Amino acid sequence: MNANINKIHLILELRKLGIINTDILSVFEDIPREKFIDKELSYKAYHNRALPISCNQTISQPGVVAMMTQILEPKKNYKVLEIGTGSGYQTAVLSKLFRIVYTIERYKLLFQNAKNVLEKLKVKNIVFYHGDGLKGWPAKFLFDRIIITALAKEMPKYLIDQLSDGGVMVLPLVYKSEQFITRVTKIKNNVKIKKYWRVRFVPLLPGIK
Ligand code: SAH
């Protein structure tokens, strides 16, 4: 089957999973996922599966990327921060839905690879940072939206601090040794938490590599 047909299947699958936001669906049609993985794996690019990338990390499952993006409720004028650039695929998705995307990756190699791929694809509205995302963005910014694409054992404090009032953070979080996609809404200085479905993510780790 060629890539286009596989892509159409994927879009149908995303719709079945409950992606009703047509802006998000068309972003998945636009972005060539095969560019973010090894050539040998490109026949799997439009399977709804996580795949290995360098540094023992993974490119997330398209279904999970789409659902997390939908829960974020993107708006063009919102400022968004992503923790865990990885392959840069989720970053590319965000770049079509937000005016500017700030993204942090702890592995130098992944940071560099993602930057190269996105430059080649002529995506210009991303600010990349090689650092520890657990410490938040290295300037005193407030973000309307934060997405974490690695598993947090506990609520990441610095990131809650960088969320604006009314801001939303979406992340995989541990509850009693299981992981769930979680939405955190900051209201005044409190947080409201909503738990979604079970997932499997690589861990959010401190420090840089
Ligand atoms: N969205 C990415 C997911 C990559 S997997 C994709 O679909 O390709 C999660 C990524 O989070 C990994 O690249 C990992 O190195 C990164 N990560 C883990 N802990 C981190 C931290 N403290 N700061 C920044 N990145 C982190």
Side-chain angles (χ1 to χ4, degrees), residues 58-159:
T58 52
I59 177 172
S60 305
Q61 221 182 319
V64 173
V65 174
M67 290 300 276
M68 287 177 82
T69 306
Q70 185 165 270
I71 296 170
L72 267 188
E73 294 180 356
K75 286 217 173 78
K76 264 275 178 247
N77 61 331
Y78 284 165
K79 206 160 165 171
V80 64
L81 171 65
E82 176 193 41
I83 308 299
T85 318
S87 66
Y89 180 69
Q90 169 89 66
T91 326
V93 169
L94 298 172
S95 77
K96 309 279 181 201
L97 299 162
F98 293 89
R99 193 158 47 220
I100 304 184
V101 182
Y102 297 81
T103 184
I104 307 180
E105 171 56 53
R106 68 189 286 270
Y107 279 98
K108 186 77 181 266
L109 179 67
L110 294 175
F111 152 84
Q112 200 56 58
N113 287 349
K115 229 174 139 179
N116 292 344
V117 176
L118 289 156
E119 262 165 32
K120 271 199 200 131
L121 292 175
K122 306 213 167 7
V123 182
K124 295 194 164 65
N125 57 336
I126 301 172
V127 187
F128 294 89
Y129 179 67
H130 172 228
D132 179 357
L134 281 166
K135 294 185 176 155
W137 191 257
K140 257 199 158 188
F141 277 1
L142 282 181
F143 295 93
D144 304 294
R145 296 292 184 260
I146 297 179
I147 180 167
I148 306 180
T149 69
L151 179 70
K153 286 205 186 108
E154 54 198 39
M155 208 53 92
K157 185 188 168 301
Y158 286 107
L159 293 169

Side-chain angles (χ1 to χ4, degrees), residues 151-198:
L151 179 70
K153 286 205 186 108
E154 54 198 39
M155 208 53 92
K157 185 188 168 301
Y158 286 107
L159 293 169
I160 301 277
D161 288 349
Q162 288 198 332
L163 206 53
S164 64
D165 189 23
V168 171
M169 177 160 84
V170 178
L171 75 162
L173 187 64
V174 173
Y175 296 82
K176 297 181 188 155
S177 77
E178 288 185 348
Q179 336 180 352
F180 289 86
I181 291 298
T182 306
R183 184 187 71 192
V184 179
T185 310
K186 186 165 165 183
I187 302 158
K188 303 267 187 268
N189 278 322
N190 282 319
V191 290
K192 203 175 97 191
I193 291 171
K194 181 165 175 188
K195 192 167 137 191
Y196 291 82
W197 69 100
R198 259 181 80 184

Side-chain angles (χ1 to χ4, degrees), residues 9-20 25 67:
H9 278 269
L10 176 63
I11 302 297
L12 291 173
E13 207 172 330
L14 296 182
R15 289 180 61 159
K16 270 197 215 136
L17 283 172
I19 309 301
I20 48 171
L25 288 170
M67 290 300 276

